[in-house]
Structures are given as C-alpha cells and as structure tokens.
Amino acid sequence: MSAKPTRSFTLTFAAITLLEIIGDTLSNRVLHYGCKPLIMALLILYVRQCCQSIGYSAYIRWLMIGMVFALIGDIFLMIREVDLFALGLGAFLLMQVCYSRAFWLSMRQNRQRSGAKSVWLYAAGFALYDTIFLILLRPEFVGNPLLTGLWWPVVVYVVCLSLMGILATQRRSLPGFAWVVAGALLFILSDSTIAIDKFLQPFTGAAWIIMSTYAAAQYLIVVGMVQQLVSEEP
C-alpha cells in the first residue's frame, strides 16, 4: 500500500485548516469550533486506516497517543470563554514526549544509531535557539504576576519541543526522514509564533502563520512516520 495520503484527503485537510483559520480570524465560532478538532481527527483516522491492514508498531502507537494529546490541546486552546492555556500547554507537552518516544523507537526498531557528533551538533543549535528565545520571554513572565507560575512549565515545554526536534534529525536513513524533520521544524516555528503573539508583541496575521504551520507540521510528521511503517511491511 502507499503511505502517501490521497489527493482528496490532502485537499480536505487543507480546506478544513483554511476554514478553521478563517473562523478564528473572523471570530466565527461555528467554523472555529467545528473545524479545529477536525485537523487532528482527520490525521488520526488516516493513521488508523493505514494500520488496519498492516498492524500497529510500537512507535506508531506512541505517535497516535501523542496525536490524541494534540487533539485535546487543540480543544483546550480553541476555547476563548475560559483561559485554558495552561491545560493546553500541558496537553502539547505530553504530545511532545510521545512524539519523541515514537521517533526514538522508530530508530531502535531499525537498529539505527545516532552519531555522537551529529547529536551534539543539532543539540547545540536547538539549545542556542532555546536560550535566546527564553531570554526574550523571561521579562514578560517575571514582570507579570499572572504569568509567573507558567515560567517553568514553559521552560520544560521548550526543552521537550527541542528534544523532539533533535530526535527527528537523527532518523537520517529511515523512510520519511525529510517529512518528519520538516514537520518538527514547522512545529517549532508555529509554537514560537504563538509565544511572540501572546507574550511579546501581538501582530496581525498571527493566526494564519500559527495554524498553517501547525497543520502542515502535524501532516508532515504523521505522513513521514507512516512512510516508515509501510516500508517495513513484509
């Protein structure tokens, strides 16, 4: 079977994402509330359909658990009547842990070892980015009593996000490598944009950048991991 989604699935996924962004931008609750959960729901159904005939590997199970946490996080963050940012952050933190576990298991299953030089090189790059970003964010948290309690959860989240990115870069010889790396980097871009818009400087068009990169990130990561699963089919 082919690991790549059909054209109709991809177009439907893109259309749902577009409608969600329009609904969010125009404060249309029907579009916003109706479409945002569908982004991850469609990808979960896609993975389930792919696994029906070839079964679930350990890393795909962890991927799907992470996708469920992402769906929960989307629901928390889409609700505007109550501030559920901390719960959404927690859900996506668990998603990052599950995705990292999935990437690690995908390498172990194929007996792929990461070179120490490669790991440290990418780790240094992510660490530099994290340090600069957290230095920029810290004054906003320290100077606002409402945000002080979120500082260390945000730090932990940033570290886990980078760990996911590092592990994505270590799947070099595995099918779907480029897709997964691109997805991980887009996820970091999406989350960075959220932080800038929410804590540093709100700007017009943030919703378009955040959701388009987020949806593309999830799509690329999921499709890339399924490519590996299909390549292992006897």
Side-chain angles (χ1 to χ4, degrees), residues 62-201:
W62 278 98
L63 179 74
M64 291 194 70
I65 294 171
M67 293 168 72
V68 172
F69 280 122
L71 173 57
I72 295 171
D74 282 341
I75 294 172
F76 282 143
L77 294 182
M78 80 178 180
I79 298 174
R80 301 295 172 81
E81 291 76 11
V82 183
D83 185 3
L84 300 176
F85 180 80
L87 291 176
L89 183 72
F92 278 107
L93 173 61
L94 293 173
M95 186 218 80
Q96 303 296 349
V97 172
C98 291
Y99 279 18
S100 295
R101 177 68 173 168
F103 297 165
W104 173 255
L105 288 176
S106 72
M107 291 188 289
R108 288 194 62 183
Q109 182 165 313
N110 288 269
R111 297 182 175 84
Q112 177 179 322
R113 295 184 177 180
S114 301
K117 183 178 180 180
S118 173
V119 172
W120 284 110
L121 179 63
Y122 284 106
F126 281 106
L128 177 61
Y129 180 82
D130 292 349
T131 301
I132 294 173
F133 204 76
L134 289 172
I135 288 174
L136 293 174
L137 284 179
R138 182 169 170 76
E140 302 300 320
F141 283 81
V142 173
N144 188 341
L146 297 176
L147 297 178
T148 302
L150 276 177
W151 172 245
W152 285 110
V154 167
V155 172
V156 172
Y157 180 85
V158 169
V159 171
C160 289
L161 179 61
S162 291
L163 176 62
M164 185 269 288
I166 293 169
L167 288 170
T169 65
Q170 300 308 300
R171 301 176 62 261
R172 290 181 304 278
S173 62
L174 299 179
F177 164 73
W179 291 66
V180 173
V181 170
L185 294 177
L186 283 175
F187 208 110
I188 293 172
L189 174 60
S190 179
D191 279 355
S192 299
T193 307
I194 291 175
I196 292 171
D197 182 61
K198 186 174 180 65
F199 303 118
L200 295 179
Q201 180 60 55

Side-chain angles (χ1 to χ4, degrees), residues 45-62:
L45 290 175
Y46 161 71
V47 176
R48 286 193 61 185
Q49 183 179 14
C50 290
C51 292
Q52 282 180 350
S53 59
I54 58 180
Y56 295 85
S57 65
Y59 62 85
I60 289 294
R61 292 183 187 278
W62 278 98

Side-chain angles (χ1 to χ4, degrees), residues 207-221:
W208 287 87
I209 297 175
I210 292 167
M211 286 309 301
S212 62
T213 53
Y214 169 74
Q218 294 284 17
Y219 179 93
L220 290 169
I221 289 172

